[in-house]
Amino acid sequence: KFEAQTLLHRHNHFVSQVIANLDALDETAWQQHKQALATHIAEKDKKLRLRSQRIWLAIGNKDINFHMQKRLLE
């Protein structure tokens, strides 16, 4: 429905907004966001579908030892 130039413009606008939002965070908010993300990454898979998605993602990323979660947390 949209031309490539429109998509590129919207994409660039989105990226610049994300960067501006990150720059606006103070240290406390930044640490809270980091901790929340780490908690989310460390969370055990609650459903088989989520586990299979994680495994297929690891395979696609050539993570043959399935250590992506550990590396992300480090």
Side-chain angles (χ1 to χ4, degrees), residues 5-70:
Q5 192 62 30
T6 303
L7 292 175
L8 179 61
H9 172 73
R10 289 183 181 184
H11 173 272
N12 289 339
H13 178 71
F14 172 78
V15 170
S16 58
Q17 287 296 345
V18 169
I19 291 170
N21 289 340
L22 289 173
D23 286 342
L25 291 176
D26 62 19
E27 185 63 25
T28 302
W30 172 247
Q31 293 302 327
Q32 288 173 343
H33 283 287
K34 279 178 42 176
Q35 183 58 46
L37 180 58
T39 300
H40 180 71
I41 291 170
E43 191 173 83
K44 300 287 185 196
D45 299 321
K46 293 180 180 174
K47 297 184 179 194
L48 186 56
R49 180 182 56 83
L50 295 174
R51 182 171 174 80
S52 68
Q53 285 176 337
R54 184 175 52 79
I55 290 171
W56 279 110
L57 181 63
I59 291 169
N61 288 327
K62 297 182 171 78
D63 179 17
I64 60 172
N65 296 315
F66 302 101
H67 292 155
M68 184 172 56
Q69 280 178 302
K70 181 181 175 188

